[in-house]
Amino acid sequence: MLDVVHSLGVENVSAPRQVVLTPRDDAESISQIISDAGLKPPYLAKALICDGSEHSHSVAIIHDQGGIEALRQGRVSGIELPCVLQEYVNHGGCLFKVYVVGESVTSATRRSLPDLVVHSSSSSSNHDYGDEGAVVVPRVSRFTQSASDDDEDEDGGGDGDGNEQQHVPPPDDAVLRDIGLRLHAKLGLDLFNFDLIRDRENPSALFIVDINYLPGISKMPGYFDHFTNFLASAGGLTKRAARAV
């Protein structure tokens, strides 16, 4: 679904490079697929289809070739092939969840995955990936790497590295509305959300990393008014009548 992002025509807005890995791909084929797409570690692996099952929200940070092989062999818990392998973009541990309900576009800031540091002198990074070269994240908003994060809620706190979450300025509301309505027109969807991050290395660059067509709408700020207004518009009712139903 992220292919549509490249046709939006919004300046500085794109999607991370990504590929789809399937059970038919052997180790050599996967290496070629990754190389052809220009992907470099670390990567983010996520389910190709989210169906509301136990592992629908699981992702895995894949650090190296060992992690890719573990993924291919089914040794990364919660992630099965076919799956999406996406380039990992450092974004200050902050994600903007943007909800589109009809013509209404609103957003909320959420905790996200931490910035990763890959040291050029070795294959190590600032995270312990164990023997498999991968770490599974059952739910991104609850990801922690140290006990210091245990008391933080999902909307704030540390960046998952035991450090303070960086202040990442949100995009202007007008930009978010423009993106949301263009996606609304391109996808033909009236109810969805998308996840947006700001590139830490190039703060003017925004990446849409996920589009969800069955969002948890109750988490949307002011969702009751937005949703009843949407139902009223869809059903040809007045706002007062929609609230009374």
Side-chain angles (χ1 to χ4, degrees):
M1 191 180 282
L2 290 184
D3 290 344
V4 71
V5 175
H6 301 291
S7 64
L8 289 181
V10 181
E11 186 177 6
N12 295 323
V13 176
S14 62
R17 286 172 289 188
Q18 61 181 31
V19 296
V20 174
L21 306 182
T22 75
R24 300 187 301 274
D25 299 323
D26 57 24
E28 184 177 351
S29 297
I30 288 177
S31 293
Q32 191 62 52
I33 290 170
I34 292 172
S35 176
D36 289 346
L39 293 178
K40 295 181 180 180
Y43 317 102
L44 195 63
K46 57 179 71 175
L48 182 62
I49 299 175
C50 293
D51 56 4
S53 61
E54 179 183 359
H55 299 298
S56 288
H57 296 283
S58 294
V59 299
I61 304 172
I62 308 295
H63 176 54
D64 53 24
Q65 187 57 41
I68 293 293
E69 185 61 14
L71 185 64
R72 187 184 72 83
Q73 295 181 5
R75 292 187 282 111
V76 178
S77 177
I79 307 292
E80 299 179 352
L81 300 185
C83 75
V84 173
L85 193 71
Q86 192 176 85
E87 68 178 328
Y88 194 103
V89 178
N90 283 337
H91 52 285
C94 182
L95 175 147
F96 307 104
K97 191 166 286 289
V98 186
Y99 298 85
V100 180
V101 180
E103 298 292 318
S104 176
V105 180
T106 189
S107 67
T109 301
R110 296 283 185 263
R111 165 187 283 180
S112 185
L113 299 173
D115 289 346
L116 301 180
V117 178
V118 178
H119 304 291
S120 57
S121 59
S122 70
S123 61
S124 63
S125 76
N126 61 330
H127 186 87
D128 179 10
Y129 288 82
D131 296 333
E132 299 287 11
V135 60
V136 175
V137 183
R139 199 174 187 91
V140 169
S141 62
R142 298 173 186 170
F143 179 68
T144 60
Q145 287 179 289
S146 69
S148 65
D149 291 325
D150 288 348
D151 296 329
E152 301 286 358
D153 64 32
E154 68 175 26
D155 290 343
D159 66 1
D161 257 337
N163 303 318
E164 285 297 311
Q165 182 176 343
Q166 301 167 51
H167 173 67
V168 180
D172 291 342
D173 288 343
V175 172
L176 295 180
R177 180 170 176 79
D178 186 26
I179 297 170
L181 294 183
R182 288 178 188 239
L183 284 173
H184 165 66
K186 290 279 188 181
L187 297 172
L189 296 176
D190 289 318
L191 180 62
F192 66 97
N193 72 12
F194 60 94
D195 296 340
L196 191 75
I197 60 174
R198 187 183 290 278
D199 188 350
R200 184 183 178 187
E201 302 302 321
N202 179 16
S204 65
L206 302 174
F207 288 92
I208 296 176
V209 296
D210 216 348
I211 300 175
N212 309 297
Y213 56 88
L214 287 175
I217 199 68
S218 64
K219 298 178 182 178
M220 174 185 181
Y223 86 95
F224 181 80
D225 286 337
H226 288 295
F227 197 51
T228 53
N229 290 344
F230 165 68
L231 292 178
S233 175
L237 302 174
T238 65
K239 294 179 181 179
R240 177 178 294 180
R243 291 191 176 94
V245 170

